[in-house]
Amino acid sequence: MEQNFFEVVEARTSIRHYDASHKISEQELKDILTATANSPSAWNLQHWHFMVFTSDEAKQRLLPIAYNQNQVTEASAVVAVLGDLEANKNVDDVYNPLVNREAMTAEVKDILAGQINRAYENDVFARDAAFTNASLAAMTLMHASKAKGYDTCAMGGFNAKNFVEEFKVSDRYLPVMLISIGKAAKEAHQSERFDLDRLTTWL
């Protein structure tokens, strides 16, 4: 049963032990990823790509790259969230439909394209943007999974270089994190959250 947003945020925890017998359907994964694709991104460039691991063979190949974390093989699926280092190449696909619908003028599109391409001349900017925007998508993916009744765990512990080599990832994309998705076999360990007063400054 789907939950409302605040219930999802409250209920989401990092699960590291999954029911290995549970299968998630391709359609469920597509529903989750469709919601994920609605994440916000700078200039709406949608700086993400997803590699979805569902087969036992693919997850076994991923396992040593993820330092043998058991959730890789126990989970129903693992999604690798990649950041786009060349998201400026998405400009035409993002803005031409708006120009064609007269929701944006060609002049405005050209101004934006110039700003974007100048920004992407800086490799540090491109890398930071890839991480930041792909991370926004990753959080959406975890919330969407929880709303569908699935548990997740974000994994930053993996060998990105080996991942790129093993799965022949284009130089355009940067591995940001792995996210396991499945049905919990064991509850998450207890954790504490800071009080809001510690986290906020009101001006």
Side-chain angles (χ1 to χ4, degrees):
M1 181 178 178
E2 295 186 8
Q3 307 168 61
N4 73 38
F5 177 76
F6 290 99
E7 291 171 336
V8 166
V9 172
E10 183 71 22
R12 188 215 60 78
T13 56
S14 294
I15 294 295
R16 292 175 173 80
H17 298 280
Y18 294 88
D19 176 358
S21 68
H22 184 84
K23 302 298 182 185
I24 186 170
S25 71
E26 182 177 327
Q27 187 57 56
E28 287 177 300
L29 284 169
K30 285 182 176 179
D31 290 344
I32 290 167
L33 291 169
T34 297
T36 300
N38 282 317
S39 301
S41 60
W43 287 303
N44 194 31
L45 293 178
Q46 301 163 61
H47 315 54
W48 42 69
H49 185 80
F50 309 109
M51 295 184 69
V52 185
F53 297 79
T54 57
S55 72
D56 290 340
E57 184 271 336
K59 289 187 284 185
Q60 285 294 337
R61 289 169 62 196
L62 181 60
L63 183 62
I65 293 168
Y67 305 125
N68 296 309
Q69 295 179 78
N70 62 279
Q71 59 262 41
V72 169
T73 51
E74 287 183 0
S76 302
V78 178
V79 176
V81 180
L82 311 181
D84 190 350
L85 293 167
E86 301 174 9
N88 56 311
K89 293 181 177 179
N90 296 337
V91 165
D92 286 343
D93 290 337
V94 168
Y95 293 126
N96 282 351
L98 299 178
V99 174
N100 293 339
R101 293 201 305 269
E102 299 184 347
M104 174 184 289
T105 66
E107 290 77 15
V108 169
K109 181 223 166 174
D110 290 342
I111 291 170
L112 288 171
Q115 293 172 345
I116 292 165
N117 286 319
R118 283 192 295 275
Y120 273 80
E121 291 173 1
N122 183 321
D123 290 342
V124 173
F125 174 90
R127 183 180 176 85
D128 288 349
F131 265 100
T132 300
N133 291 282
S135 295
L136 291 173
M139 192 72 256
T140 302
L141 190 153
M142 287 185 278
H143 284 147
S145 297
K146 191 62 183 176
K148 286 284 188 182
Y150 286 97
D151 294 291
T152 58
C153 182
M155 292 173 276
F158 66 99
N159 189 312
K161 180 177 181 292
N162 289 356
F163 181 92
V164 167
E165 292 174 352
E166 176 68 22
F167 299 107
K168 296 177 172 56
V169 178
S170 162
D171 290 343
R172 176 169 177 169
Y173 296 105
L174 179 73
V176 173
M177 71 182 74
L178 307 175
I179 300 176
S180 54
I181 305 175
K183 293 287 187 178
K186 183 179 178 182
E187 290 186 4
H189 62 76
Q190 295 295 312
S191 62
E192 295 296 326
R193 298 291 175 173
F194 295 137
D195 291 336
L196 186 61
D197 287 347
R198 176 172 175 170
L199 303 174
T200 55
T201 300
W202 297 79
L203 303 174

